[in-house]
Amino acid sequence: PISSSPPVVEATSFLMLSLATMGALALRAGPLVSRGASTRLSALQMSTFATFKTSKGDIKAELMMDKLPITCSNFADLAKTGFYDGLTFHRVIQGFMCQFGCPHSKDPKSPRAGTGGPEPGSTYTTPDGTTITRTGGNIPDELIEPISNEVGTLSMANTGMPNSGGSQIFINTKHNAFLDYFDPSTPSKHPVFGKVVDGMDVLLAIEKVPTGQGDKPIDPVTVNTIEISED
């Protein structure tokens, strides 16, 4: 389903979405920990949350930063730098998922909505201090935690090719186990990197909005901003 490349994928072509495998970066540790390293270790031990401030209300999700640092740090960086501000949910399918994160969706009528991603060559940093480059606007696959695409989970969209995730994500409104990278029944490989902890009623309200061609909401649902916080 969860394609982030043209054309807009219809509900019947869900299986074209796939990721390839790649290990995550291991947290570096040693007998002597510098002050900077200690700060990074503390960051990993904290809980990271993302609050979607949408035109329908707020959705708060916890990011699994300790489990998928590459994927979560990418999302958090895009949120903090305002990349997601003003974008719309460009694909909504009741009983399936709500997809978001394409920069072209700022114009909800754009035929390119669902095809974009971050700036190629842009960078961000993981909690252990590693700098990741978005080669071609994409991030490395991080298929290391067998977390299923259950209701309320945040998962990465991709084109079906290895290392093709970028900024687009989807929030599951059904347990879509066939999207799990560890489910051998389909080629779909979508890593889960977060879960809604508050605002499921808002997500379900978004899921029920009337949609038109390409599963685009007739009345746009806008994410005004995404706030990142740590506890």
Side-chain angles (χ1 to χ4, degrees):
I2 320 301
S3 173
S4 53
S5 174
V8 174
V9 183
E10 297 182 359
T12 55
S13 10
F14 297 155
L15 298 185
M16 71 178 288
L17 308 167
S18 172
L19 272 176
T21 110
M22 177 176 182
L25 299 174
L27 178 64
R28 294 174 297 195
L32 298 177
V33 181
S34 68
R35 184 175 181 181
S38 178
T39 300
R40 293 192 291 270
L41 285 169
S42 297
L44 273 176
Q45 294 166 357
M46 299 180 72
S47 296
T48 303
F49 298 92
T51 302
F52 295 69
K53 312 291 285 189
T54 85
S55 54
K56 291 282 189 182
D58 291 358
I59 301 171
K60 185 176 183 179
E62 182 172 4
L63 304 183
M64 300 173 184
M65 190 69 75
D66 59 330
K67 294 181 173 61
L68 284 85
I70 296 175
T71 307
C72 290
S73 296
N74 171 66
F75 178 82
D77 175 75
L78 292 172
K80 289 177 180 178
T81 56
F83 179 92
Y84 289 127
D85 294 1
L87 305 188
T88 61
F89 282 89
H90 64 268
R91 188 161 176 251
V92 172
I93 302 176
Q94 188 169 352
F96 183 34
M97 60 88 219
C98 301
Q99 189 170 346
F100 163 82
C102 174
H104 303 309
S105 71
K106 187 164 283 191
D107 174 6
K109 295 182 179 180
S110 172
R112 300 175 67 196
T115 68
E119 185 70 23
S122 56
T123 63
Y124 64 96
T125 305
T126 61
D128 73 346
T130 301
T131 298
I132 305 294
T133 299
R134 299 183 180 100
T135 303
N138 303 127
I139 66 172
D141 295 334
E142 197 171 26
L143 306 179
I144 58 172
E145 288 289 338
I147 306 168
S148 190
N149 280 267
E150 297 180 352
V151 175
T153 53
L154 281 60
S155 194
M156 284 298 296
N158 57 74
T159 69
M161 297 298 291
N163 305 313
S164 61
S167 59
Q168 293 189 45
I169 71 162
F170 59 97
I171 310 178
N172 291 291
T173 57
K174 179 185 177 182
H175 187 184
N176 296 307
F178 75 98
L179 298 179
D180 298 338
Y181 75 86
F182 49 89
D183 182 343
S185 66
T186 75
S188 297
K189 299 182 186 299
H190 300 279
V192 169
F193 67 96
K195 186 164 187 176
V196 173
V197 295
D198 192 25
M200 272 300 296
D201 57 327
V202 176
L203 176 63
L204 295 179
I206 295 172
E207 178 198 31
K208 293 179 174 64
V209 299
T211 57
Q213 185 177 7
D215 303 308
K216 292 182 182 180
I218 295 173
D219 294 320
V221 179
T222 303
V223 175
N224 298 315
T225 193
I226 299 177
E227 298 176 350
I228 302 297
S229 59
E230 294 179 338
D231 292 329

